[in-house]
């Protein structure tokens, strides 16, 4: 049987199915036949409605789009994370999880209808051509950007490796537009950013794609070398506003800090399909103290890592309650017709906790100072706030989201400062800081 990729996808990443037919009694067999006959009657009803729409709707509809919409309606009625992906959406998802694509190497955002450069990525066509942060891209291949959304603009800048694209840029200090012609290369997204903060190594993990573990391992090695192995006070693993990604990467990242024990289990409708994933010997940090930062935007794969390190008492989890996305989506390709994203299991921490619609409660809660204009707008709804979400799967009370605000100025980031103080053994004022027992 072909192995299916399991993804843990944030709020907001060959077909196979198994059918069990019970033969314990004639009654159960008859029930199955009755259910099947009823299902076929419903499918006949769908055919009747489809035919009516196809022949009598006021304008001629696209039949392929009608079928796709019907499939997507069926899937989205199950829960907020099951859906149908057409061929383009499936390709985009694969690009995202691979963490590499043919492009220019620019991180961009949308500002007043135009594309603004956040930063060019080092050693890419954009950085070599002199593209600068805060440049405004007004035209792509002589086509105006205004009127496009961000995804449409990004699609126009991405393309096959070695193909060319021309950008017209408006730069604040320049009178005339700057025109640059770039040749696309393979761009690798950096899901982990490592930096030194005195005697502390900071690892900011922004997503879980195919590059995450290798980036993390490289980052730990560089930080240890830069600080000095005997001088490292500890590491901060910053998972705030990380929406998740690949399950195997979440397992590998957790394993990077553990020597033994279960990391996570996934439990589906059938008990025999339960899977357990355990750590292998070898802690990349050699047992150095860890603080994991989470907030209301930390979801799924982030929660697997935080939950595993918390249950094993390997790290202190600090921040605010996480999102509560505790379900597994399996991506099932449909030939050249896209793919189905289907929720197939819940995941559980080593202590058997379901995070679904509940989240990870930090060991130490630290609230940020929210700017006046953002008060009331800084909290996520959390999984529990999504219509049609899966239940927790137990008797535990569901809980909504929490603040996802991170100050742009690191000197005002109370959660990051508290992490540094914790690793350095500095006692702080308890205002807005509440110690919590480790859940069992």
């Amino acid at each position: 049987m072909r192995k299916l990729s399991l993804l843990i996808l944030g709020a907001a990443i060959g077909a196979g199915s198994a059918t069990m037919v019970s033969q314990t009694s004639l009654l159960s067999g008859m029930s199955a036949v009755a259910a099947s006959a009823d299902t076929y009657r419903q499918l006949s009803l769908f055919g009747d409605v489809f035919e009516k729409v196809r022949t009598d709707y006021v304008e001629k509809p696209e039949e392929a789009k009608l079928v796709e919409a019907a499939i997507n309606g069926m899937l989205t009625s199950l829960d907020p994370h099951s859906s149908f992906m057409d061929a383009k959406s499936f390709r985009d998802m694969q690009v995202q999880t691979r963490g590499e694509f043919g492009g220019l190497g620019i991180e961009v955002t949308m500002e007043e209808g135009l594309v603004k450069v956040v930063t060019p990525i080092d050693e890419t066509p954009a950085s070599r051509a002199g593209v600068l942060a805060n440049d405004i891209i007004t035209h792509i291949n002589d086509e105006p950007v205004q009127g496009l959304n961000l995804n449409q603009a990004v699609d126009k800048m991405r393309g096959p490796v070695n193909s060319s694209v021309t950008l017209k840029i408006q730069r604040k200090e320049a009178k005339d537009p700057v025109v640059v012609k770039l040749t696309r290369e393979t761009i690798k997204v950096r899901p982990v950013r490592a930096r030194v903060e005195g005697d502390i190594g900071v690892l900011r993990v922004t997503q879980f794609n195919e590059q995450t573990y290798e980036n993390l391992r490289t980052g730990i090695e560089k930080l240890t070398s830069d600080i000095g192995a005997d001088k490292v006070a500890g590491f901060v693993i910053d998972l705030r506003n990380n929406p998740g990604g690949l399950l195997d990467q979440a397992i590998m990242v957790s394993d990077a800090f553990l020597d033994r024990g279960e990391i996570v289990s996934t439990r589906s409708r059938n008990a025999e399909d339960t899977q357990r994933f355990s750590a292998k010997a070898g802690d990349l940090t050699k047992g150095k103290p860890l603080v994991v930062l989470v907030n209301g935007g930390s979801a799924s794969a982030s929660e697997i890592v935080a939950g595993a390190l918390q249950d094993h008492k390997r790290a202190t989890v600090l921040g605010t309650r996480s999102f509560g996305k505790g379900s597994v989506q399996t991506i099932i390709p449909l030939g050249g017709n896209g793919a189905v994203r289907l929720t197939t299991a819940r995941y559980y921490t080593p202590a058997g906790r379901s995070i679904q619609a509940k989240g990870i409660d930090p060991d130490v809660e630290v609230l940020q100072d929210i700017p006046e204009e953002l008060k009331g707008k800084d909290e996520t709804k959390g999984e529990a706030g999504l219509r049609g979400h899966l239940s927790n799967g137990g008797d535990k009370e569901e809980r909504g989201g929490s603040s996802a605000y991170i100050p742009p100025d690191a000197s005002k980031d109370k959660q990051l400062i508290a992490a540094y103080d914790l690793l350095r053994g500095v006692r702080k004022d308890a205002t807005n800081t509440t110690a919590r027992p480790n859940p069992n």
Side-chain angles (χ1 to χ4, degrees), residues 28-342:
S28 62
M30 291 172 62
S31 297
V33 171
S36 177
D38 186 59
T39 299
Y40 281 116
R41 278 196 294 272
Q42 294 296 322
L43 287 173
S44 177
L45 173 62
F46 170 78
D48 292 342
V49 173
F50 176 82
E51 186 61 24
K52 271 293 177 189
V53 172
R54 192 180 71 82
T55 58
D56 295 349
Y57 184 65
V58 62
E59 295 178 352
K60 185 176 180 180
E62 290 187 41
E63 295 176 14
K65 286 192 174 180
L66 286 179
V67 173
E68 283 186 10
I71 293 170
N72 202 41
M74 173 178 63
L75 291 166
T76 55
S77 72
L78 299 172
D79 67 80
H81 307 293
S82 294
S83 64
F84 172 74
M85 293 181 284
D86 61 22
K88 182 182 182 305
S89 298
F90 183 37
R91 285 195 301 272
D92 290 346
M93 185 275 297
Q94 290 174 307
V95 166
Q96 182 179 350
T97 56
R98 273 200 311 271
E100 60 181 50
F101 53 86
L104 307 176
I106 318 174
E107 293 183 11
V108 294
T109 187
M110 185 68 81
E111 188 172 280
E112 297 180 359
L114 295 174
V115 175
K116 180 179 179 180
V117 177
V118 176
T119 183
I121 300 170
D122 291 342
E123 300 178 7
T124 63
S127 66
R128 289 194 292 269
V131 176
L132 303 175
N134 299 317
D135 280 351
I136 301 294
I137 299 172
T138 60
H139 291 73
I140 302 170
N141 286 334
D142 295 325
E143 293 182 26
V145 168
Q146 198 147 24
L148 301 177
N149 62 38
L150 186 60
N151 286 338
Q152 290 169 330
V154 168
D155 281 346
K156 287 184 176 294
M157 287 188 280
R158 289 182 180 176
V161 172
N162 295 325
S163 62
S164 297
V165 62
T166 301
L167 304 181
K168 185 181 285 188
I169 291 170
Q170 189 64 53
R171 190 167 288 163
K172 189 174 285 186
E173 64 272 15
K175 274 187 181 179
D176 300 319
V178 177
V179 178
V180 291
K181 185 174 182 180
L182 307 170
T183 300
R184 297 180 178 98
E185 296 179 2
T186 299
I187 307 299
K188 292 191 176 183
V189 177
R190 281 197 299 159
V192 181
R193 298 177 186 274
R195 74 176 192 277
V196 172
E197 189 65 37
D199 55 353
I200 292 171
V202 180
L203 295 153
R204 173 85 176 103
V205 185
T206 58
Q207 59 181 290
F208 288 83
N209 64 29
E210 291 179 9
Q211 316 295 326
T212 301
Y213 173 74
E214 282 304 317
N215 276 209
L216 180 86
R217 184 182 59 77
T218 302
I220 291 172
E221 289 175 355
K222 186 174 189 311
L223 291 172
T224 302
S225 173
D226 290 350
I227 299 170
D230 57 337
K231 296 179 181 177
V232 176
F235 292 88
V236 174
I237 317 300
D238 190 350
L239 300 176
R240 293 176 297 177
N241 293 343
N242 181 323
L246 294 168
L247 173 61
D248 65 343
Q249 291 292 314
I251 292 166
M252 292 167 73
V253 167
S254 302
D255 194 3
F257 307 105
L258 295 170
D259 274 319
R260 66 181 70 82
E262 185 174 303
I263 293 171
V264 68
S265 63
T266 62
R267 307 178 196 177
S268 59
R269 180 167 33 170
N270 301 314
E272 60 268 27
D273 293 332
T274 295
Q275 289 185 286
R276 298 183 184 279
F277 302 91
S278 298
K280 302 178 185 70
D283 177 348
L284 297 183
T285 67
K286 310 298 183 189
K288 292 289 184 180
L290 302 177
V291 174
V292 174
L293 297 181
V294 297
N295 66 7
S298 305
S300 59
S302 301
E303 294 172 295
I304 285 177
V305 175
L309 298 182
Q310 185 181 59
D311 280 1
H312 284 288
K313 295 181 169 45
R314 177 64 185 88
T316 299
V317 177
L318 186 150
T320 58
R321 186 176 58 255
S322 64
F323 189 86
K325 165 73 169 55
S327 61
V328 180
Q329 280 66 51
T330 301
I331 304 301
I332 307 171
L334 303 173
N337 299 312
V340 168
R341 177 193 283 124
L342 188 66

Side-chain angles (χ1 to χ4, degrees), residues 373-404:
E373 66 274 14
L374 292 179
K375 284 184 177 175
K377 302 176 184 176
D378 62 303
E379 292 202 356
T380 64
K381 290 182 178 178
E383 181 77 9
L386 299 180
R387 181 179 298 177
H389 67 270
L390 285 178
S391 68
N392 179 271
D395 299 329
K396 296 179 181 177
E397 177 186 354
E398 294 186 355
R399 304 179 70 182
S402 69
S403 178

